[in-house]
Amino acid sequence: MKKIVLLPLDERPCNYNFPYKLFNKNRNTGALAPSNMDLDFQIIKPDKLGDKKTPANTMEIQKFLKESCKDADGLVISIDTLAYGGLIPSRLHHSSAEEIRERLEIIKELKKDNEKLKIYAFHCIMRCPKYSSNDEEPDYYEECGAEIHKIGELEHKARLGMDIGKELDDLYKKVKSQYLEDYTGRRKVNLSLNLLSLDYVKEGYIDFLIIPQDDSAKYGFTAMDQEIVREKITKELLQDQVLMYPGADEVAMTLLTRVINNLNGRTPNIYIKYASIHAPYIIPAYEDRSLGETLKYQIMAAGCMQTESSPEADLILAVSAPAGEMLEASAQPVKNQNYCVERNLTEFVLYIEEQLKKGKAVTIGDNAFANGSDLELIALLNKRNLLMKVAGYAGWNTSSNTLGTAISQGVLYLYRNDCKEHRDFLVERYIEDAGYCGVVRKYITEHKLESLGMNYFDVKESNGIASTLIREMLQEFVDSKLSSIAEKVCINQVYMPWRRMFEIGIDANYKI
C-alpha cells in the first residue's frame, strides 16, 4: 500500500474532508465490480488545523510533516497552510518575508530525509474580492473592500496604457492610506513567497506545483501578481511543472488524482461533452479566462489528457455550463436564452444515459450556475434513474471547484469502480450541492435567520438550531427531489464548520 501525506488548505470540509473521504479507501469496502486500474494507497492528514481566521500552529504542522513523510511515497501540500496556517490567515498575517521563507525550509528537509518522496504543492496568489466584507479579509475590508478592488483594477489598466480618467485619484482619497499600505504590503510579502515556490520547483524540491487563482478577475492586484509569476515561470522554463489557473478548494483532490495516476503509470484520456456549443467560450463567474482553456489546465493538472473523441476516452466529462453569462444558483428558475435556448439540457442527459449504456464512465461537472447545482438537471437525472450510475457529480462554489471535484471523482472511479467511498461521496454531493446550495441555504437565509437572531455570517454555533433546521430541510429535499434513491440515503450529521451559512459539513451514506 502506498502512503500519501496531505496537508490541506484549511479545516473546511471541502479541503479537510473531501480528499480524505474520496481517496482514503477502507480496504473492507471494495469495488462491486473489478477494475483493470487498481492501486491501494493510504491518506495521512493532520488531526487538527486552525479555525477560520485563527491560523493552524505552524510548528505543529512541521512536526506532523517530519513524522509522516519519513516513509511516504507522496506529499500533497498547501504552501499557504505551511507558511501562514491556512488560506484565510494568508490574508491577515503580519509575518515578514524572512519569517515565512524559514517555514518553507522544511520542504528541503523532507526531500533529504526521504529521497523517494514526491512533493506536489499548491500555493494561492492572494485574492482581491470586489465586494466589501471582512468575513474572510482584514477588518477594514468591510469598510472599503470594493474600493481596494477597484484601485487594483484601475492601477492595472493604467499600467496597460488604458484611459482611466480621474477615478483612481478619487478612490485614493476614499481609502485610508494605512489600510491600503497594510493590504499592498501583505501582497508583496505573499508574492515573494509565490516566487520562492518557483525556486523550489527549479531546484527539485517540489516536483509539481499548482498556483490556483481564488476569486480571480481579468484586471486587478491579483492579475498583476499573476503576470509577475507567469513571467518567472516562462523565464525559468517551468511551464510543464507549474500550472496556474482558476480554482483553490478543489486543488488537493486534483493533486491526489495526479499522484495516483503517476504512481500507476497511467494518463487517462478525458472527452468533454458540453450542454451548449457556446459553453467553452464563456468566462465563468469569479474567473478570468474562458471555460475551455481552464478545462485544459484542470485535466492536465490531474495527470490526464483531453481527447477529441469519445470512443478513445477512458472518462467522459459532461459539462452543463450555459451559453453565456453564468448566474448564481439562487437565481433559479432561470428563463433566458443562455440557459433555455442555446443550451440543450435534454440532449445532454440523454447523451449521458447512452454513454452509460455503452459502459463508459461519465462524470458530471454541473457548472451551469455558480454556488450550487442546476436543479433542472438534478430533476432529469432523478427521473431517469441516473443519479447513482455516474462516475462522479459536483455542482458547488465556482466552476473550477466543481470541475476539479468531478474530474477527481471520475478518474478515481476508473481505479475503484462502484465502491462504498464513491457512493457515499456522490450522494453527499447531491445533498449538499443541490439540496443545500441550490435550495435550503437561500430559504433559511431569507425566511428563518432573522427570527432566530442570526444572520448569514453568524449562526452562533457549529451544532445548534441552524444545523438542525438545515438537516430537516435536506431530508425533505432528498425525499422529494432525489426520490429515485431516497430510501437508500441516510443523513447522519449536518454542522456549520465556520458558523456561517456559506458552507456546511455533512456526513451521509448510501445503503446497498
Side-chain angles (χ1 to χ4, degrees):
M1 176 176 284
K2 301 293 184 180
K3 179 181 178 182
I4 304 171
V5 177
L6 169 66
L7 181 62
L9 182 59
D10 59 36
E11 65 281 0
R12 284 174 298 159
C14 57
N15 290 311
Y16 190 75
N17 292 338
F18 283 16
Y20 192 79
K21 283 185 173 184
L22 185 59
F23 286 85
N24 201 57
K25 178 182 176 184
N26 184 332
R27 301 186 76 181
N28 297 321
T29 59
L32 297 181
S35 171
N36 60 359
M37 297 171 65
D38 197 15
L39 182 68
D40 281 334
F41 48 90
Q42 180 184 23
I43 307 295
I44 306 296
K45 64 177 182 176
D47 292 331
K48 184 180 180 181
L49 289 175
D51 184 12
K52 198 176 181 179
K53 290 188 174 184
T54 302
N57 187 316
T58 55
M59 295 300 293
E60 288 296 320
I61 286 172
Q62 295 207 12
K63 181 180 178 182
F64 161 77
L65 291 173
K66 289 178 180 178
E67 293 176 352
S68 302
C69 291
K70 289 179 180 179
D71 58 346
D73 299 280
L75 167 63
V76 172
I77 181 171
S78 163
I79 301 295
D80 293 289
T81 303
L82 175 63
Y84 312 110
L87 179 62
I88 307 305
S90 74
R91 306 167 188 163
L92 306 171
H93 72 91
H94 294 283
S95 300
S96 67
E98 291 72 24
E99 289 173 322
I100 295 172
R101 290 172 74 94
E102 289 179 5
R103 294 171 191 163
L104 258 66
E105 289 289 324
I106 191 175
I107 291 177
K108 298 179 180 180
E109 295 180 35
L110 299 176
K111 274 284 193 178
K112 181 179 179 181
D113 294 341
N114 182 358
E115 294 182 357
K116 74 172 182 177
L117 181 69
K118 298 293 184 182
I119 298 181
Y120 304 77
F122 59 112
H123 188 191
C124 294
I125 290 179
M126 185 172 151
R127 76 173 190 172
C128 184
K130 63 177 63 177
Y131 48 82
S132 293
S133 169
N134 64 1
D135 183 49
E136 297 184 6
E137 317 298 327
D139 288 343
Y140 56 77
Y141 218 86
E142 178 80 24
E143 177 184 330
C144 56
E147 288 78 9
I148 289 175
H149 172 87
K150 191 65 177 180
I151 286 172
E153 178 184 328
L154 293 174
E155 284 188 359
H156 191 185
K157 289 180 176 179
R159 287 189 188 185
L160 297 173
M162 300 170 68
D163 182 15
I164 61 171
K166 297 181 179 181
E167 188 176 1
L168 185 57
D169 292 333
D170 294 337
L171 284 169
Y172 284 144
K173 296 174 184 177
K174 292 181 180 180
V175 179
K176 292 180 180 179
S177 59
Q178 63 265 37
Y179 294 166
L180 195 57
E181 288 170 6
D182 176 80
Y183 184 80
T184 57
R186 187 174 298 107
R187 291 202 70 92
K188 290 178 181 178
V189 171
N190 290 13
L191 176 60
S192 72
L193 197 66
N194 290 131
L195 298 174
L196 180 62
S197 296
L198 298 180
D199 291 335
Y200 273 56
V201 176
K202 181 181 177 181
E203 295 163 9
Y205 298 113
I206 293 175
D207 295 277
F208 187 79
L209 175 67
I210 294 177
I211 301 179
Q213 306 298 293
D214 178 32
D215 202 355
S216 53
K218 188 174 182 179
Y219 301 105
F221 286 118
T222 303
M224 286 189 283
D225 288 350
Q226 185 185 119
E227 290 176 357
I228 295 171
V229 173
R230 183 180 293 109
E231 182 179 359
K232 182 166 182 174
I233 292 172
T234 303
K235 180 180 178 181
E236 303 294 351
L237 206 63
L238 298 174
Q239 299 94 322
D240 57 341
Q241 293 175 271
V242 181
L243 300 182
M244 184 164 55
Y245 60 88
D249 292 330
E250 84 292 346
V251 175
M253 289 182 282
T254 298
L255 285 175
L256 285 169
T257 306
R258 187 179 186 90
V259 171
I260 64 169
N261 280 332
N262 288 351
L263 289 174
N264 204 45
R266 297 295 295 264
T267 307
N269 288 321
I270 297 179
Y271 173 75
I272 303 172
K273 166 63 178 179
Y274 293 100
S276 170
I277 61 173
H278 302 287
Y281 310 105
I282 72 167
I283 297 179
Y286 311 107
E287 299 190 2
D288 65 351
R289 68 197 70 185
S290 64
L291 174 59
E293 291 303 318
T294 295
L295 269 166
K296 292 178 186 177
Y297 283 103
Q298 287 276 6
I299 290 170
M300 283 193 298
C304 305
M305 288 297 293
Q306 183 174 338
T307 181
E308 299 302 319
S309 168
S310 59
E312 295 177 359
D314 300 296
L315 175 69
I316 293 174
L317 172 62
V319 177
S320 66
E325 180 186 7
M326 183 177 290
L327 303 177
E328 295 289 328
S330 58
Q332 296 180 82
V334 172
K335 297 179 181 179
N336 67 39
Q337 284 204 331
N338 292 330
Y339 284 89
C340 303
V341 177
E342 290 291 346
R343 186 180 71 136
N344 193 327
L345 202 57
T346 302
E347 188 270 346
F348 182 71
V349 172
L350 293 178
Y351 175 89
I352 291 172
E353 186 172 28
E354 187 63 26
Q355 293 302 314
L356 291 171
K357 289 179 181 178
K358 293 179 180 179
K360 282 288 185 181
V362 181
T363 187
I364 302 173
D366 185 5
N367 62 344
F369 297 93
N371 292 308
S373 298
D374 183 336
L375 298 177
E376 183 182 356
L377 173 59
I378 294 295
L380 287 169
L381 294 173
N382 181 65
K383 178 182 179 180
R384 303 191 73 82
N385 294 304
L386 299 176
L387 291 171
M388 301 305 294
K389 294 180 181 179
V390 295
Y393 172 88
W396 64 290
N397 285 24
T398 68
S399 173
S400 282
N401 293 156
T402 282
L403 295 171
T405 306
I407 291 169
S408 293
Q409 290 177 77
V411 173
L412 194 56
Y413 187 87
L414 300 177
Y415 287 89
R416 291 179 172 167
N417 284 339
D418 193 15
C419 65
K420 173 176 171 53
E421 289 75 17
H422 162 74
R423 297 190 298 273
D424 290 349
F425 190 79
L426 183 58
V427 80
E428 285 181 355
R429 300 277 49 76
Y430 292 130
I431 297 170
E432 183 175 354
D433 300 358
Y436 183 70
C437 297
V439 178
V440 174
R441 178 170 57 195
K442 178 182 178 181
Y443 180 84
I444 290 181
T445 298
E446 293 180 352
H447 300 283
K448 298 293 183 179
L449 290 184
E450 185 175 356
S451 63
L452 295 171
M454 302 173 183
N455 61 64
Y456 186 88
F457 297 105
D458 184 12
V459 295
K460 308 302 182 183
E461 52 192 349
S462 295
N463 292 285
I465 297 173
S467 59
T468 299
L469 183 58
I470 289 167
R471 181 175 177 177
E472 292 172 355
M473 291 194 65
L474 287 177
Q475 187 61 60
E476 293 175 6
F477 178 86
V478 170
D479 293 340
S480 61
K481 304 301 182 182
L482 305 179
S483 56
S484 64
I485 61 172
E487 291 183 358
K488 296 182 178 181
V489 174
C490 180
I491 302 175
N492 303 310
Q493 182 187 22
V494 173
Y495 60 99
M496 320 300 286
W498 277 1
R499 300 163 298 281
R500 65 180 187 180
M501 287 297 294
F502 186 70
E503 66 275 287
I504 59 170
I506 185 169
D507 179 63
N509 63 278
Y510 184 78
K511 299 171 290 186
I512 296 298

